[in-house]
Amino acid sequence: MEVHWIRGKGLDSNIYLIKGDETTLIDAGTGLHHNYVMHEIKKHVNPRDIKKIILTHEHADHYGGVRKILEEIGKDVEVASHRSAAERLRKGSDVTSLFFGFSPFPLDVGLELADGDRIRAGDDELLVIHTPGHSPGSICLYNEEEKILFSGDTIFQYGSFGRFDLPGGDANALLDSIEKLLSMDVDIIYPGHGEVVLEDGKDHILLAMDNLKAALE
Ligand SMILES: [Zn+2]
Ligand SMILES: [Zn+2]
């Protein structure tokens, strides 16, 4: 799987460009660093080759950039998210955008995902894992052959986990979600923020579970 990491600037989420027949972006940042993002994308692909943008969840630091990317490359790009995130994205009611310095706007999500779905990305397939807790519509995406997990804001490097105190957050749901991730064999983790994990990903997930349990005691 050919994955290019576009490191999030400022408060932006990381963006992952998966190159192949079905060139895909995972997440889109806030949109406040649009020129940088397009510059990074163009290092690897013609932006017009992007077929799909999958959003790991409904927060503005991940979806805010979609509108400008679509404007720049045309409308034939499918936007996908978990169905619970899609409902919120269509309403444009996400309050987190205010933290990131812009007003929420409605986003048309054409493809609704559910737990257990398989979705094409690049030349491979990703399994959709519904992981609520950080937000109701959070998903992780897993490639079994290469043991790659795109973890959104559910877990990060070295056992950090997503905050659960935002509207729609739920600590116990987050714990269940992290437990669910432990049933996967994971080497590489591409998280929504911070550094990527290039080996022993499962150790980082275990640590996240221990840390969250300790925080809840
Ligand atoms: Zn985020
Ligand atoms: Zn988030």
Side-chain angles (χ1 to χ4, degrees):
M1 177 168 244
E2 185 177 341
V3 182
H4 298 282
W5 172 30
I6 301 174
R7 184 192 285 267
K9 262 197 195 303
L11 296 172
D12 277 30
S13 70
N14 288 325
I15 299 173
Y16 298 100
L17 169 66
I18 305 174
K19 191 174 168 182
D21 272 353
E22 188 76 15
T23 292
T24 296
L25 290 182
I26 296 184
D27 287 331
T30 57
L32 298 173
H33 304 98
H34 175 69
N35 291 342
Y36 155 75
V37 169
M38 292 311 295
H39 178 79
E40 293 300 306
I41 290 173
K42 284 172 191 166
K43 284 184 185 170
H44 307 289
V45 297
N46 178 339
R48 298 201 64 85
D49 293 340
I50 295 169
K51 303 241 169 59
K52 195 190 287 160
I53 302 175
I54 308 174
L55 298 171
T56 60
H57 62 296
E58 61 273 40
H59 286 159
D61 53 327
H62 297 253
Y63 82 79
V66 171
R67 190 161 61 176
K68 283 184 186 164
I69 293 172
L70 294 183
E71 273 168 16
E72 185 155 341
I73 66 182
K75 298 290 180 194
D76 53 343
V77 176
E78 192 162 49
V79 179
S81 78
H82 187 266
R83 60 171 62 130
S84 165
E87 277 170 30
R88 291 172 171 78
L89 288 164
R90 288 190 192 113
K91 282 186 200 147
S93 58
D94 176 43
V95 293
T96 66
S97 63
L98 301 173
F99 301 143
F100 300 108
F102 59 92
S103 302
F105 57 85
L107 186 67
D108 186 26
V109 177
L111 180 62
E112 291 191 6
L113 304 172
D115 189 62
D117 284 355
R118 289 175 189 276
I119 185 168
R120 295 281 306 163
D123 296 320
D124 296 276
E125 223 173 42
L126 294 171
L127 173 69
V128 175
I129 309 162
H130 186 210
T131 52
H134 171 66
S135 76
S138 282
I139 53 170
C140 291
L141 298 156
Y142 177 61
N143 177 261
E144 201 168 1
E145 287 87 69
E146 297 185 51
K147 302 174 184 170
I148 295 173
L149 184 75
F150 296 91
S151 64
D153 284 1
T154 297
I155 56 144
F156 308 102
Q157 195 190 32
Y158 292 120
S160 295
F161 49 82
R163 53 190 292 182
F164 46 77
D165 57 340
L166 295 168
D170 181 333
N172 290 312
L174 184 61
L175 193 59
D176 290 345
S177 292
I178 294 173
E179 235 155 33
K180 205 164 165 186
L181 296 178
L182 281 173
S183 65
M184 322 272 159
D185 203 1
V186 176
D187 280 338
I188 298 172
I189 300 176
Y190 292 117
H193 298 275
E195 302 291 318
V196 306
V197 173
L198 295 174
E199 56 183 10
D200 300 326
K202 197 158 185 161
D203 293 347
H204 295 253
I205 304 172
L206 268 169
L207 205 53
M209 193 172 71
D210 290 347
N211 288 342
L212 179 55
K213 275 185 180 162
L216 296 178
E217 266 169 16

